[in-house]
Amino acid sequence: MKKLITSIVFSLTATLLFAKTSTPNGFIDDFDMALESAKKSGKTVLAVFSGSDWCYWCKVLEKDYLSKKEFVDEASKCFELCFIDSPKDKSRVTAKAASRNPELLKKYAIREFPTIKFIKSDGTAFDAPRPKGDIAPKAYAEALIKTIKYNPLVEKHIKPFKDEFTAKIQPLHIKLFQMEFPFSKKTEEEQRAAHLEGVKLIREIVAKRIELREKLLKAKIPSEIEYEKNDLLNQLNANLEDLKKLAELKFEDAKKLYGQPAGKRTKGKLK
């Protein structure tokens, strides 16, 4: 009887210790342990916030990168790797993670998945880039290491431009997005007024984008972070030509293009 009880206890203990969770090999799911390790090693925590059983892009990130040995081996040189999961199936995480992870989502203001953050040993954090294009796993790990290495330069030379974009341009985009569609108005007078308001807003967006772009082009940016400059320039240039065309679109032309029911709208592109 004693042997049977011992055998059952051993079996249950082994199950608890070695039960498969959603955490990829090379990562841990205990954030506090990762932070403590970072204090001792001098590394930074690379925290991946995921929804492993419901978020499509989380699954892609894990399949193409987090599960790859070449990524883990390279990233581990500079980071303590931590996987902070929010699955629907709570059996995919440990009891501690199930309790702690919602607190971490709130603390670090996680609003979308996957989100990747660099978290220093003092708990302060900033965003880490997601993989772009068809970058290889090892190359992505190297890019993350490069990002953390040159972060002081980015903070000094690039962050002021990003802050200006966030403060002066992003609110205008939000305002434009929230505007009521001009041709949903009942009278032509109301439509014309709404169209004019929209055009003025678009022109302001275009002007501020161009202004910030010219300032960035003239700035002396260290060659080591030229890629950060180019990323921001791409963001400023995105859809700029289309916005310019919309800013010059007269009311009559806009009504022909957008003022009819979707099935009857004039076909063709803006010239």
Side-chain angles (χ1 to χ4, degrees):
M1 185 66 175
K2 186 177 179 180
K3 289 183 178 180
L4 178 60
I5 293 174
T6 303
S7 177
I8 291 173
V9 170
F10 178 81
S11 178
L12 288 172
T13 303
T15 299
L16 290 172
L17 287 174
F18 301 106
K20 177 63 177 174
T21 67
S22 60
T23 307
N25 291 332
F27 286 73
I28 63 172
D29 65 355
D30 188 327
F31 175 75
D32 300 304
M33 184 182 293
L35 210 59
E36 190 61 34
S37 296
K39 291 177 183 178
K40 295 176 181 178
S41 66
K43 296 179 181 180
T44 298
V45 175
L46 181 70
V48 179
F49 293 83
S50 181
S52 65
D53 63 351
W54 59 268
C55 166
Y56 173 78
W57 289 112
C58 298
K59 295 178 182 180
V60 171
L61 178 67
E62 182 175 351
K63 175 178 176 292
D64 292 348
Y65 295 96
L66 308 185
S67 64
K68 302 298 184 184
K69 186 177 184 299
E70 54 266 42
F71 171 83
V72 172
D73 288 348
E74 189 66 26
S76 297
K77 295 176 182 178
C78 190
F79 304 111
E80 302 290 348
L81 304 179
C82 186
F83 191 73
I84 302 170
D85 198 11
S86 299
K88 291 182 178 179
D89 179 2
K90 300 307 178 186
S91 69
R92 295 174 63 86
V93 294
T94 62
K96 181 177 181 180
S99 172
R100 183 77 167 108
N101 290 358
E103 299 172 0
L104 297 171
L105 298 184
K106 185 176 181 180
K107 178 177 181 178
Y108 292 109
I110 305 302
R111 297 184 177 87
E112 61 179 22
F113 296 89
T115 290
I116 308 171
K117 284 189 176 289
F118 297 121
I119 303 180
K120 299 178 181 179
S121 58
D122 63 1
T124 57
F126 60 99
D127 290 337
R130 297 178 186 175
K132 295 180 180 179
D134 57 353
I135 187 171
K138 183 178 180 181
Y140 176 47
E142 290 171 342
L144 291 170
I145 293 171
K146 183 178 179 181
T147 300
I148 197 73
K149 178 180 179 181
Y150 294 123
N151 184 60
L153 288 178
V154 172
E155 289 286 309
K156 180 179 179 180
H157 296 280
I158 300 295
K159 190 175 183 295
F161 291 101
K162 289 185 175 181
D163 289 345
E164 185 173 345
F165 180 87
T166 300
K168 296 183 178 180
I169 299 176
Q170 201 170 59
L172 298 178
H173 280 278
I174 294 172
K175 184 178 179 181
L176 181 64
F177 179 77
Q178 293 175 340
M179 280 185 65
E180 187 178 353
F181 185 58
F183 300 107
S184 65
K185 303 288 186 180
K186 291 183 178 180
T187 68
E188 183 172 312
E189 182 180 359
E190 290 175 321
Q191 291 175 3
R192 286 183 178 275
H195 171 75
L196 182 60
E197 183 184 358
V199 164
K200 285 182 178 178
L201 187 55
I202 292 171
R203 287 175 179 172
E204 187 177 1
I205 290 172
V206 169
K208 289 190 178 296
R209 276 205 196 183
I210 292 174
E211 179 186 359
L212 185 56
R213 182 183 67 183
E214 295 308 308
K215 286 170 63 176
L216 183 57
L217 286 170
K218 292 177 182 177
K220 294 182 178 180
I221 305 295
S223 59
E224 295 93 337
I225 58 169
E226 188 75 17
Y227 65 95
E228 287 279 356
K229 174 183 177 180
N230 291 334
D231 281 349
L232 186 52
L233 285 172
N234 288 337
Q235 189 175 355
L236 291 169
N237 286 328
N239 303 320
L240 188 58
E241 294 305 314
D242 289 337
L243 287 172
K244 287 180 181 178
K245 291 174 183 177
L246 285 173
E248 300 304 320
L249 195 63
K250 295 180 179 179
F251 173 79
E252 291 77 11
D253 294 330
K255 191 166 186 177
K256 287 179 183 177
L257 284 169
Y258 306 115
Q260 302 177 49
K264 296 182 178 180
R265 287 178 186 168
T266 304
K267 293 182 180 180
K269 298 179 179 179
L270 294 177
K271 295 182 178 180

